[in-house]
């Protein structure tokens, strides 16, 4: 396996399936280091450059770096999230690139992370680029499926919710298209999966767009739920039309296979009833933990501390 040192992660398609599997294998090894602090990344500094709100992704990257002995500088300026001039981003990245060894960026504009990677000499990791992609979330989602289901091939996976604007489902469905899986896309009509992604994945695996979760709930191995991405709607009246239009409840869980799992990238708004949290199928908080491990592994590989 060629070294991943110095690599950017902007799109999930930047990595081959073999490389993705390698990162996940390394995650299993690195799990031991998450218990105690390690000095694998001692002397390395990571910049967090977030132009959009974030709790999980930011803290997860920060903790991953610190648990491996590295340091972080947070250069997020949420108030500047409305700045939509590529020029400003260009200068910021050029400056920060001088201070650190790796940059994690989140920005509301599609193409922003790619632009940052072209400018920076150090590796850039995309922590979410508009509604487009969220590749490290896809990695941790794959890892969660692998850990909880012990395989990815042969599974039936249903995505439920805002498939138009959720960047996590875009990256994950593209990644899953490398496996032998069956995918269901379930959403309100105005929030259907982006056409270009639907086309890409349906050329590789079996995909079906379904109107009602109840039609397939008994069949699925993985139910991946997303929140409606209110902040991405250009017309708030469209949001009002779909607000609260779906919710996973205990009734759904009762119909599910006993060994099925429910995932969600979080934050949850109202799309999964809190009562579901107590069921064995609910894995969304475990998913958060796996995210820490996967980001530790990715940082260690990209920064060349692990080969
Ligand atoms: C997701 C995101 O930011 O795209 N959250 C996350 O990274 N865990 C999902 C979301 O905001 O709904």
């Amino acid at each position: 396996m060629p070294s991943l040192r110095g690599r950017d992660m902007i799109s999930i398609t930047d990595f081959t399936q073999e490389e993705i599997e390698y990162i996940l294998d390394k995650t299993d090894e690195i799990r031991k280091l998450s218990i105690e602090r390690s000095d694998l990344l001692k002397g390395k500094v990571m910049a967090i450059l977030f132009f959009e709100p974030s709790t999980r992704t930011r803290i997860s990257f920060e903790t991953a770096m610190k648990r491996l002995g590295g340091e972080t500088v947070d250069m997020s300026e949420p108030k500047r999230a409305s700045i939509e001039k590529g020029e400003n981003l260009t200068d910021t990245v050029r400056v920060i690139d001088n201070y650190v060894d790796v940059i994690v960026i989140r920005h509301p504009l599609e193409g922003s992370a790619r632009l940052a990677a072209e400018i920076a000499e150090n590796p850039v990791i995309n922590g979410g680029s508009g509604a487009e992609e969220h590749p490290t979330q896809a990695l941790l989602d794959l890892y969660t499926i692998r850990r909880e289901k012990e395989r990815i091939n042969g599974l039936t996976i249903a995505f439920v919710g805002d498939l138009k604007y959720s960047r996590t489902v875009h990256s994950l469905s593209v990644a899953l298209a490398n496996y032998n899986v069956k995918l269901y896309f379930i959403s309100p009509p105005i929030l259907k999966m982006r056409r270009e992604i639907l086309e890409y994945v349906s050329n590789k695996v079996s995909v079906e767009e379904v109107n009602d979760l109840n039609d397939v709930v008994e069949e699925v191995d993985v139910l991946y739920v997303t929140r409606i991405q209110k902040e991405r709607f250009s017309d708030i009246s469209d949001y009002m039309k779909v607000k609260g239009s779906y919710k996973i409840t205990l009734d759904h869980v009762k119909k599910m296979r006993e060994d099925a799992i429910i995932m969600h990238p979080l934050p949850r708004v109202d799309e999964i009833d809190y009562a579901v949290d107590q069921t064995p199928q609910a894995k969304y908080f475990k998913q958060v933990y796996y995210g820490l491990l996967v980001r530790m592994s990715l940082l260690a590989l990209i920064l060349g501390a692990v080969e």
Side-chain angles (χ1 to χ4, degrees):
M1 166 69 57
S3 166
L4 299 182
R5 180 196 281 256
R7 289 277 293 273
D8 300 313
M9 182 174 242
I10 305 305
S11 166
I12 193 71
T13 56
D14 293 346
F15 286 66
T16 63
Q17 190 193 5
E18 197 192 2
E19 288 170 337
I20 289 174
E21 291 282 332
Y22 191 70
I23 299 168
L24 304 185
D25 290 344
K26 286 288 163 190
T27 304
D28 284 333
E29 287 174 29
I30 231 141
R31 188 146 48 108
K32 296 177 214 97
L33 300 180
S34 72
I35 321 280
E36 285 171 30
R37 271 171 181 251
S38 127
D39 60 1
L40 214 53
L41 293 182
K42 193 159 186 260
K44 300 284 185 195
V45 184
M46 177 184 79
I48 301 168
L49 186 58
F50 276 24
F51 295 93
E52 260 189 20
S54 167
T55 311
R56 259 150 306 273
T57 306
R58 185 170 52 80
I59 310 264
S60 171
F61 267 111
E62 201 169 327
T63 321
M65 193 67 186
K66 288 184 171 161
R67 282 191 181 270
L68 292 176
E71 288 171 63
T72 63
V73 280
D74 192 338
M75 301 182 171
S76 305
E77 292 177 70
K79 285 201 194 86
R80 293 185 52 193
S82 60
I83 291 183
E84 297 202 353
K85 292 180 184 163
E87 223 180 351
N88 291 331
L89 179 66
T90 307
D91 281 0
T92 311
V93 171
R94 190 161 284 152
V95 170
I96 290 174
D97 192 34
N98 287 281
Y99 303 149
V100 299
D101 303 289
V102 56
I103 299 173
V104 186
I105 183 168
R106 168 174 287 199
H107 195 284
L109 274 187
E110 297 189 8
S112 51
R114 180 70 68 198
L115 175 69
E118 277 162 16
I119 294 158
E121 290 190 4
N122 286 302
V124 174
I125 301 174
N126 179 6
S129 48
E132 181 187 40
E133 279 234 36
H134 194 344
T136 64
Q137 180 73 40
L139 282 184
L140 79 89
D141 291 339
L142 290 176
Y143 187 70
T144 303
I145 297 172
R146 222 170 83 156
R147 286 291 298 277
E148 294 297 324
K149 298 296 303 172
E150 287 167 0
R151 69 200 161 105
I152 297 177
N153 284 321
L155 297 180
T156 300
I157 298 156
F159 290 94
V160 184
D162 180 348
L163 308 186
K164 181 175 181 186
Y165 295 117
S166 292
R167 52 195 173 198
T168 70
V169 299
H170 299 154
S171 296
L172 179 58
S173 48
V174 166
L176 284 170
N178 289 324
Y179 295 85
N180 172 22
V181 290
K182 181 172 171 55
L183 303 181
Y184 286 121
F185 292 145
I186 310 159
S187 66
I190 61 167
L191 296 178
K192 281 192 170 175
M193 179 56 92
R194 284 183 170 206
R195 294 298 98 175
E196 68 270 24
I197 293 182
L198 182 69
E199 213 165 284
Y200 177 89
V201 292
S202 54
N203 276 330
K204 297 180 140 209
V205 294
S206 156
V207 179
E208 210 180 310
E209 290 188 291
V210 180
N211 291 325
D212 189 349
L213 170 61
N214 286 307
D215 293 345
V216 297
V217 71
E218 289 160 21
E219 207 192 305
V220 302
D221 299 296
V222 179
L223 186 64
Y224 192 100
V225 189
T226 64
R227 93 186 149 88
I228 297 184
Q229 310 279 304
K230 183 181 176 187
E231 69 278 22
R232 311 240 181 257
F233 283 69
S234 48
D235 184 348
I236 199 70
S237 68
D238 278 343
Y239 169 71
M240 296 312 286
K241 277 183 219 151
V242 287
K243 181 175 182 273
S245 58
Y246 57 94
K247 183 176 209 153
I248 309 305
T249 64
L250 286 179
D251 287 338
H252 291 109
V253 180
K254 274 182 211 136
K255 289 187 208 152
M256 288 176 85
R257 298 168 56 113
E258 262 177 45
D259 61 354
I261 61 170
I262 304 173
M263 296 169 61
H264 190 306
L266 302 176
R268 153 177 55 183
V269 182
D270 55 7
E271 57 282 346
I272 301 181
D273 195 300
Y274 288 106
V276 173
D277 299 1
Q278 313 308 326
T279 67
Q281 284 88 349
K283 298 294 179 199
Y284 25 95
F285 291 109
K286 253 188 142 175
Q287 210 177 329
V288 175
Y289 169 62
Y290 293 145
L292 169 69
L293 305 181
V294 168
R295 289 184 173 117
M296 287 171 72
S297 166
L298 182 68
L299 286 168
L301 285 162
I302 282 182
L303 289 170
V306 167
E307 287 291 326

